[in-house]
Amino acid sequence: MLIVALVFAGLAALVHVYIFWLEALAFETTGRKAFGVSAEDAAIMKPWAYNQGFYNLFLAIGTAAGIGLADPNQDAGVALVTLTTGSMVTAALVLITSDPAKARGAIVQGLFPAISLVSLAIWALA
C-alpha cells in the first residue's frame, strides 16, 4: 500500500506543478481561460496568481522530496508526504467550501492526494 500511496502522491505533485504553470507562468493566457477569468481581471489578479502558483509548486516539491526520502528514511518520507498531501486535500476543501461552483477544480486538486492519504492510512494500520 505504501507504493500505491507514493504513486498517487507523485500524481498529485504533477497536478500541482501543472497548476503552478497555469497560475504563475501562463496566467494571462491559458491560465485565465482555465480559471474563467477575463483578460481585464487577469491583469489585476496576476500578482495573486503568481504567488498562489508558487504555493502549489512548493507543495509539489515537498511531495517529491518525501517520495525520494521514502526509501532511505521511510519515517521522514512518509511524514513529508503526509504533510504535503494533507495540505493539498485541505486546500481543495477550502476551495469547495469557499465557492461550490469550484467543485471541479477542488476534485482535480484534491483527488490524488486524498487517495494517497487513504492508502497511507491503510498501510499504517496494516
Side-chain angles (χ1 to χ4, degrees):
M1 240 11 203
L2 180 58
I3 298 296
V4 171
L6 296 178
V7 167
F8 278 100
L11 292 171
L14 291 175
V15 168
H16 279 71
V17 168
Y18 177 65
I19 295 169
F20 157 75
W21 177 77
L22 286 173
E23 292 175 338
L25 304 178
F27 187 70
E28 291 185 294
T29 57
T30 310
R32 78 171 183 80
K33 292 174 188 169
F35 297 116
V37 176
S38 70
E40 189 174 284
D41 288 342
I44 295 166
M45 295 171 65
K46 186 178 178 182
W48 162 84
Y50 185 76
N51 181 65
Q52 188 69 19
F54 274 91
Y55 157 82
N56 284 293
L57 179 63
F58 299 147
L59 285 174
I61 291 169
T63 303
I67 293 167
L69 279 173
D71 185 40
N73 188 336
Q74 187 172 331
D75 290 342
V78 168
L80 193 51
V81 168
T82 301
L83 172 68
T84 55
T85 57
S87 295
M88 292 172 184
V89 169
T90 304
L93 291 172
V94 168
L95 179 60
I96 199 168
T97 58
S98 68
D99 184 358
K102 304 275 191 243
R104 182 179 180 276
I107 291 168
V108 168
Q109 178 179 339
L111 182 62
F112 290 152
I115 293 170
S116 178
L117 285 174
V118 168
S119 299
L120 283 172
I122 292 168
W123 169 77
L125 295 172

